Amino acid sequence: MSPEELLPDELLERIRSRAAGYDRNNAFFHEDLEELAAAGYLKLFVPASDGGAGLGLEAAAQCQRRLATAAPATALAVNMHLVWTGVAHVLAARGDNSLDFVLKEAAQGEVFAFGNSEAGNDSVLFDSRTTATPEQDGGYSFTGTKIFTSLSPAWTRLGIFGKDAAARDGAGELVHGFITRETSGYRILDDWDTLGMRASQSATTVLEAVKAPADRIFRKLPVGPNADPLIFAIFACFESLLAAVYTGLGERALAVGVENVKRRTSFKNGGRSYAQDPDIRWKVADAAMAMDVLYPQLRTVTADVDALADHGSQWFPKLVGLKVNATETARRVVDLAIRVSGGSSYFRGSELERLYRDVLAGMFHPSDDESAHTTVANAWLGPLED
């Protein structure tokens, strides 16, 4: 199915019409989520045999790009569900069925969220400040604080991880598992009052001896970088789907900027449209050329994931490079769109004003600019000498 079939214009316009209200009221996108679920959108990666769309990462990214042109915050939060279902899909395509239950439960309407991010943990997936304590029955209890937990009001399954410091002869082990909404011991804080991406409601989640049963512990990995397929699958889906959202945001900003330029007129030039102003035309062209670089990069990287391409040590540079290019390009394009749109875009309630705030969230998602450049430099030049 195409993005247009999965997200018909009528549905997209209804989602767009609600975006400003969610942002203004700092409210979760309940109506959007209900309509997207009813349309089967949360089943993009679920096999057709189980009632899903049966898409790969390339097609799912294009759907997210389209959704983000209407409501970036809705798309960003939906990403977190799609990351887990995407990871399950990517692993299964490589012969690893450890997360097939994620796809089965997504087919039944469960909503997954990503509870891995931690304040001050710049090791991201390679270490954790959350403690994972083994239980006698093979499960683990987790204690720690997770930040930027998108879909906080709606998830029914939360993926978490923590460190069992005593495992592997004291070297430590990172334990990955899932809890359900009914699990006891967690608290969701009412602390999401942000500059942008407000509808995502990515609140802080506090884990206090929260138990994940043995059958929901799906990985135990050594501390530090490793080549486990799970790490690749998470990076591939997280970075690519993030890039898709910010590509869609930039695409929308360009479109709104063009509309505004055609509408605006110049008093000193006898009422002629600003579309005839050479300086304005330069800025629009600059934004369009920047976006034209993103579209093929997004398609190529995601298509290579689907095709099981072997990029070896260049895989992570490709993924983090895509994410950084998308978030930074989108920021530049939004800025250019505001410049050509004039002072009206400075007022609260204008779409560009909202996109200007939303796009700033891109700098906080992993991999950040510094980490990404380190990853790429290491791949090309080798690590720094001691």
Side-chain angles (χ1 to χ4, degrees):
M1 298 178 70
S2 70
E4 291 74 22
E5 291 172 309
L6 287 160
L7 274 175
D9 288 344
E10 313 83 66
L11 173 56
L12 202 67
E13 287 306 315
R14 287 197 299 274
I15 290 173
R16 178 174 287 118
S17 72
R18 292 189 285 255
Y22 292 142
D23 174 76
R24 180 178 60 251
N25 299 323
N26 194 25
F28 185 66
F29 59 99
H30 286 290
E31 297 90 343
D32 289 358
L33 187 62
E34 182 178 341
E35 285 207 72
L36 289 167
Y41 194 83
L42 302 186
K43 303 177 184 179
L44 293 184
F45 288 109
V46 173
S49 58
D50 289 331
L55 301 186
L57 187 58
E58 180 186 5
Q62 295 307 316
C63 289
Q64 281 295 86
R65 169 188 154 193
R66 179 169 166 81
L67 178 58
T69 64
T74 292
L76 182 66
V78 169
N79 252 13
M80 300 307 114
H81 170 83
L82 294 178
V83 165
W84 278 126
T85 55
V87 166
H89 166 81
V90 169
L91 287 176
R94 287 156 175 78
D96 182 335
N97 301 110
S98 59
L99 286 181
D100 280 3
F101 70 88
V102 169
L103 295 172
K104 293 291 185 183
E105 294 185 9
Q108 297 164 3
E110 303 295 348
V111 178
F112 287 80
F114 203 75
N116 283 9
S117 297
E118 300 167 339
N121 179 12
D122 55 1
S123 293
V124 193
L125 291 175
F126 300 141
D127 205 344
S128 177
R129 303 182 70 173
T130 296
T131 61
T133 304
E135 303 280 343
Q136 290 186 346
D137 60 2
Y140 281 79
S141 61
F142 294 83
T143 298
T145 300
K146 305 296 185 177
I147 60 172
F148 294 111
T149 314
S150 299
L151 293 170
S152 286
W155 61 261
T156 63
R157 303 287 187 268
L158 181 66
I160 57 176
F161 88 127
K163 182 165 68 175
D164 177 3
R168 301 186 186 237
D169 296 324
E173 185 171 65
L174 300 174
V175 182
H176 295 258
F178 282 97
I179 62 172
T180 71
R181 195 82 184 184
E182 294 72 33
T183 304
S184 61
Y186 71 86
R187 292 182 293 121
I188 298 174
L189 304 186
D190 183 17
D191 63 349
W192 191 250
D193 189 6
T194 51
L195 182 66
M197 293 293 187
R198 288 160 64 81
S200 70
Q201 291 300 296
S202 306
T204 297
T205 304
V206 180
L207 309 175
E208 297 168 330
V210 175
K211 184 175 178 180
D215 62 354
R216 288 306 171 101
I217 301 298
F218 62 90
R219 263 316 188 280
K220 299 178 185 179
L221 299 175
V223 174
N226 66 84
D228 190 278
L230 175 68
I231 302 300
F232 171 77
I234 290 176
F235 267 91
C237 295
F238 195 91
E239 302 293 76
S240 297
L241 292 172
L242 272 178
V245 168
Y246 287 90
T247 300
L249 194 160
E251 181 178 351
R252 177 60 180 173
L254 175 59
V256 173
V258 168
E259 291 172 4
N260 289 341
V261 166
K262 291 180 177 179
R263 175 184 51 79
R264 294 179 67 206
T265 56
S266 171
F267 179 73
K268 71 178 181 180
N269 287 323
R272 298 181 71 198
S273 166
Y274 269 100
Q276 303 303 310
D277 184 304
D279 293 330
I280 296 293
R281 294 172 68 88
W282 179 282
K283 289 183 173 62
V284 170
D286 214 21
M289 288 189 288
M291 288 303 303
D292 281 344
V293 175
L294 270 186
Y295 302 131
Q297 186 182 18
L298 178 63
R299 286 192 177 277
T300 299
V301 171
T302 52
D304 280 359
V305 174
D306 289 338
L308 280 64
D310 182 9
H311 290 301
S313 63
Q314 289 293 331
W315 250 127
F316 287 98
K318 286 181 180 294
L319 292 167
V320 300
L322 170 62
K323 181 268 175 181
V324 170
N325 280 346
T327 54
E328 292 301 313
T329 298
R331 285 182 65 196
R332 178 183 170 198
V333 169
V334 171
D335 182 76
L336 287 167
I338 285 178
R339 289 174 184 273
V340 301
S341 295
S344 62
S345 61
Y346 191 62
F347 281 80
R348 282 284 285 173
S350 79
E351 186 171 2
L352 281 177
E353 177 266 341
R354 174 165 47 83
L355 294 181
Y356 186 81
R357 290 183 288 105
D358 281 352
V359 79
L360 295 179
M363 72 177 77
F364 300 110
H365 306 303
S367 293
D368 61 26
D369 195 33
E370 295 82 5
S371 173
H373 279 79
T374 297
T375 297
V376 176
N378 286 346
W380 285 97
L381 300 172
L384 288 169
E385 298 176 359
D386 294 333

